[in-house]
Amino acid sequence: MSHVSANTLKDCHIEKVINNGNSSTEAFVFFHGFPADTEKNEDLAKKLASTFKINTFILHYKGLGKSSGHFSFKNSIKQAIEVTTDLINTEGYKKIHIVGHSWGGLVTLNVLREIPSNVGQVVLLNPLTEFPKDSDIRNDLKDFVNYENSAKGKTYSLESLLESASYVKKNNAPRSFISEVLEAKNKLLIIQAQKDVVVNPDDTRSFVKLLDEKVKYIEQDEDHWFASRKEMINSVVSHLKGKGL
């Protein structure tokens, strides 16, 4: 039976799903979207932990979810890399399997790029591989800043967030390091929801084509959050079993 505990690592809150008889050498790490309900994928995390007897961690980027402080696109990638590295160097895990949803898909690919030898299987759910128009980014971030500052007493600067997003667009866009992603193609499972209005399915399809369609790719009749959940969860579990986990 799994249960969820919590701790803080590198100023980020982490939900930890623990199992009796768990593997001491492998772990799952979840990277969520922006902005996101970090509980959305807890059901998948619990399922993976209980099925594969592997400890599972759900990262809350600084400033989102249960983490304190202020969010930064640039720093969220850095935090994900640091947390994954700490799990390897401090906690002793030899292989980290990663699940990334939406913005977390972009984060996941950057972690894979940084420490490829220690990343095991990679699951991307509606991954962000193409940035929206600058005007759309500004409008979305304006809404985020207004809500966070008025409802939560934060002190976000719209221009600072836009600068952070621009930096990532220039330096961390997955299409800019597609050759490195190709090297890990056998590790990848990509699931795209056909009714997704957040991540354009055509962007994901074109990204898969850049990988010469050599990755495991599935489309499902779902929305951005995979509302029915069951088909997506079963597909992930089945794929990972097929990979020998």
Side-chain angles (χ1 to χ4, degrees), residues 5 13 27 49 67-68 97 103 111 147 155 165 188 192 200 218:
S5 63
H13 184 88
S67 292
S68 59
H97 310 291
W103 167 255
V111 174
Y147 173 77
T155 56
L188 299 180
Q192 176 62 48
N200 189 331
I218 299 172

Side-chain angles (χ1 to χ4, degrees), residues 21-240:
N22 61 286
S23 167
S24 61
T25 61
E26 299 180 55
F28 284 107
V29 177
F30 278 65
F31 299 133
H32 62 78
F34 167 85
D37 180 349
T38 52
E39 296 180 355
K40 279 290 185 180
N41 285 311
E42 191 171 289
D43 56 351
L44 176 57
K46 290 180 178 179
K47 181 65 175 180
L48 296 183
S50 63
T51 300
F52 299 104
K53 307 303 180 190
I54 295 176
N55 283 348
T56 303
F57 302 84
I58 306 173
L59 171 65
H60 298 226
Y61 314 118
K62 186 174 181 179
L64 295 183
K66 296 179 182 178
S67 292
S68 59
H70 288 69
F71 176 81
S72 159
F73 292 101
K74 176 182 176 181
N75 289 340
S76 69
I77 295 174
K78 181 180 178 181
Q79 291 155 15
I81 293 170
E82 289 179 344
V83 166
T84 305
T85 302
D86 277 358
L87 288 173
I88 295 165
N89 295 338
T90 304
E91 301 297 326
Y93 294 105
K94 304 299 182 185
K95 192 71 67 176
I96 304 294
H97 310 291
I98 306 178
V99 180
H101 177 243
S102 193
W103 167 255
L106 182 147
V107 171
T108 295
L109 290 171
N110 276 274
V111 174
L112 175 63
R113 176 193 191 186
E114 190 71 21
I115 47 175
S117 62
N118 292 107
V119 173
Q121 295 301 310
V122 174
V123 177
L124 304 176
L125 306 173
N126 297 332
L128 180 66
T129 60
E130 183 73 27
F131 281 83
K133 296 178 182 178
D134 289 345
S135 59
D136 291 337
I137 293 175
R138 174 175 284 274
N139 289 335
D140 288 344
L141 291 183
K142 185 177 180 180
D143 290 341
F144 173 77
V145 167
N146 288 339
Y147 173 77
E148 291 287 316
N149 289 355
S150 61
K152 298 184 179 180
K154 297 284 183 80
T155 56
Y156 278 106
S157 160
L158 175 59
E159 295 308 316
S160 178
L161 272 177
L162 286 169
E163 182 180 349
S164 175
S166 178
Y167 176 91
V168 171
K169 184 176 181 179
K170 180 179 179 180
N171 296 281
N172 301 98
R175 293 168 192 260
S176 69
F177 55 91
I178 196 69
S179 60
E180 293 164 87
V181 180
L182 262 171
E183 292 178 5
K185 60 183 180 293
N186 293 328
K187 299 179 178 182
L188 299 180
L189 166 65
I190 302 176
I191 303 180
Q192 176 62 48
Q194 295 171 335
K195 297 176 181 177
D196 196 337
V197 296
V198 179
V199 172
N200 189 331
D202 284 340
D203 290 342
T204 303
R205 293 173 188 135
S206 65
F207 182 72
V208 171
K209 286 183 179 180
L210 291 176
L211 298 174
D212 298 326
E213 301 181 352
K214 293 179 180 179
V215 301
K216 177 67 174 179
Y217 177 61
I218 299 172
E219 289 194 7
Q220 296 180 350
D221 185 25
E222 288 283 1
D223 62 12
H224 185 67
W225 295 107
F226 296 95
S228 67
R229 307 298 292 170
K230 184 177 180 180
E231 182 181 7
M232 178 273 289
I233 291 175
N234 287 344
S235 294
V236 173
V237 170
S238 176
H239 173 79
L240 294 175

